[in-house]
């Protein structure tokens, strides 16, 4: 039997401006929710503060799923 083929994904780092653009929330909200453990944590690379784009997309998907669960109650 053959090994399953796993989809290869390319991780991408994004900065706060792109995170804000993707989520439509302000920087203060992002940092507050990060501190509360309710938003993906950032990565520090040199002087840059970055996020993993896939983690932001997953966060957004979880929020949509949460909304959809509430609609069915």
């Amino acid at each position: 039997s053959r090994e399953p083929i796993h989809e290869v994904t390319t991780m991408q780092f994004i900065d706060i401006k792109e995170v804000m653009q993707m989520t439509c929330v302000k920087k203060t909200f992002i940092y507050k929710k990060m501190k509360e453990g309710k938003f993906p944590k950032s990565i520090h690379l040199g002087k840059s503060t970055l996020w993993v784009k896939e983690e932001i997309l997953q966060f957004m998907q979880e929020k949509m799923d949460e909304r959809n669960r509430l609609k069915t109650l």
Side-chain angles (χ1 to χ4, degrees):
S1 94
R2 300 176 80 178
E3 288 289 318
I5 298 172
H6 296 284
E7 185 179 328
V8 177
T9 58
T10 305
M11 270 196 225
Q12 185 178 0
F13 291 135
I14 55 175
D15 64 13
I16 189 68
K17 287 180 185 175
E18 191 165 348
V19 174
M20 289 170 27
Q21 185 178 10
M22 286 175 67
T23 59
C24 296
V25 295
K26 294 184 179 182
K27 190 188 297 190
T28 51
F29 175 89
I30 291 167
Y31 282 103
K32 179 180 179 224
K33 292 300 178 184
M34 263 179 42
K35 191 174 182 179
E36 295 171 1
K38 297 178 180 177
F39 195 86
K41 294 202 180 303
S42 60
I43 293 167
H44 299 283
L45 199 59
K47 292 182 179 182
S48 299
T49 301
L50 305 166
W51 283 260
V52 177
K53 186 173 186 175
E54 290 74 14
E55 291 178 357
I56 301 302
L57 292 169
Q58 182 180 358
F59 167 81
M60 294 168 68
Q61 184 62 56
E62 288 168 2
K63 290 297 170 192
M64 290 189 303
D65 293 346
E66 190 178 293
R67 174 203 61 195
N68 293 340
R69 277 195 306 277
L70 292 173
K71 278 185 177 179
T72 59
L73 295 178

